[in-house]
Amino acid sequence: IERDALLRKKHGIHISGHNVPSPLKDFSELSSRYGCKSYLLRNLAEFGYKEPTPIQRQAISVLLSGRECFACAPTGSGKTLAFLCPILMKLKHGSKDGIRAVIICPTRELAAQTTRECKKLAKGKKFYIKLMTKELARSGNFEKMPCDILVSTPLRIRFSMRKKKLDLSRVEYLVLDESDKLFELGFMRQIDSVVKACSNPSIIRSLFSATLPDSVEELARTIMHDAVRIIVGRKNS
Ligand code: ADP
Ligand code: MG
């Protein structure tokens, strides 16, 4: 416990919530503590990532322990890997049983970039990772198309839910990335309907952001259970 506190202090990690899992000391703990497969460690090494960033140290262990979290860390601090890595580890491998993870990004560019990163991180392992393009939203048949991880903007996933009766009832991981932007851009109604459609009782939701305004904090508190709050640096920098 004391060791955890020291490690958090060293990396400027602030937490609230009870029984918060220990932060990662290094990437090798992904395998020693959580049974991470070799393809993923290989990809991290290939990217040249030597050490987890502060937000990765804490958010990865929280999500791998099955806890929900809302996390605030500056732009450029590695939040994408903080949610992609636990999702790939928990899903283990591709399946054809429907959508198991949904990542919502505020813009199409960010959604495309997140999809690319996810595919790079999954290299060497069969996963079905899909970006919700305009065409997919309009005419994609998700009942026939294997999709483990779906990355979308709020408008496109909402459109597809209406038009194609997108089934989100098996989703195990829901990520709201850049949630401060999702709020600023006025996507709350869409987010709300996605959250409701993800009806799997054992879902793990997480929320990532560069700032943590009261609106985002309130959203986190209404949709999550027993969530861990993680702040790296300052809350509104
Ligand atoms: P954020 O979402 O917090 O703004 P990103 O996830 O986009 O940040 O990451 C910013 C940059 O840091 C990316 O170029 C990414 O490849 C790099 N990065 C992520 N994790 C690490 C790491 N552990 N070590 C070195 N670089 C990293
Ligand atoms: Mg980001």
Side-chain angles (χ1 to χ4, degrees):
I1 305 290
E2 186 61 23
R3 259 192 13 236
D4 292 355
L6 283 171
L7 190 58
R8 288 189 186 109
K9 188 162 181 217
K10 180 176 168 197
H11 294 286
I13 303 166
H14 305 275
I15 49 151
S16 32
H18 56 272
N19 286 330
V20 179
S22 307
L24 297 176
K25 282 204 291 292
D26 46 43
F27 279 131
S28 75
E29 279 198 337
L30 287 177
S31 46
S32 60
R33 269 168 70 187
Y34 298 105
C36 182
K37 296 287 192 301
S38 55
Y39 82 91
L40 195 55
L41 294 170
R42 204 163 53 231
N43 291 339
L44 291 174
E46 204 165 293
F47 294 170
Y49 296 177
K50 298 206 162 52
E51 273 196 308
T53 65
I55 191 63
Q56 290 165 4
R57 287 177 197 274
Q58 188 61 77
I60 289 176
S61 72
V62 165
L63 290 169
L64 286 176
S65 305
R67 293 282 296 277
E68 300 196 307
C69 74
F70 55 112
C72 170
T75 302
S77 64
K79 293 189 286 294
T80 319
L81 185 74
F83 56 79
L84 289 181
C85 177
I87 289 176
L88 291 176
M89 285 174 65
K90 287 287 195 173
L91 297 185
K92 291 196 166 71
H93 45 71
S95 92
K96 295 181 177 170
D97 299 336
I99 302 168
R100 294 186 293 156
V102 169
I103 300 165
I104 304 289
C105 305
T107 65
R108 299 196 290 256
E109 293 70 31
L110 187 61
Q113 190 189 322
T114 303
T115 309
R116 282 195 300 273
E117 277 201 44
C118 191
K119 287 180 174 171
K120 267 169 59 189
L121 195 62
K123 200 182 104 191
K125 192 85 186 166
K126 184 88 197 140
F127 273 108
Y128 302 99
I129 299 159
K130 301 269 185 237
L131 171 66
M132 183 72 92
T133 58
K134 201 171 183 179
E135 294 67 43
L136 262 193
R138 204 183 278 146
S139 51
N141 186 349
F142 283 91
E143 270 163 33
K144 295 258 171 65
M145 172 179 41
C147 176
D148 299 301
I149 303 173
L150 178 64
V151 187
S152 180
T153 62
L155 290 177
R156 282 187 176 167
I157 195 166
R158 186 73 191 107
F159 186 81
S160 174
M161 285 163 69
R162 283 223 168 97
K163 182 147 182 143
K164 305 299 290 183
K165 306 251 188 308
L166 193 67
D167 182 6
L168 299 180
S169 65
R170 293 210 184 92
V171 172
E172 298 162 56
Y173 292 88
L174 173 64
V175 179
L176 305 178
D177 193 20
E178 299 208 1
S179 12
D180 48 356
K181 295 239 176 59
L182 289 171
F183 240 102
E184 276 167 36
L185 296 169
F187 290 133
M188 279 328 294
R189 281 211 332 279
Q190 289 82 5
I191 299 293
D192 204 53
S193 62
V194 172
V195 169
K196 288 212 173 76
C198 292
S199 56
N200 183 342
S202 51
I203 189 168
I204 303 292
R205 307 170 192 91
S206 59
L207 203 145
F208 287 80
S209 200
T211 65
L212 196 56
D214 293 343
S215 54
V216 174
E217 191 136 352
E218 202 176 294
L219 171 70
R221 296 200 189 279
T222 34
I223 68 173
M224 293 180 186
H225 302 289
D226 196 22
V228 178
R229 178 182 189 260
I230 309 167
I231 298 191
V232 173
R234 276 182 299 127
K235 178 174 135 125
N236 286 309
S237 55

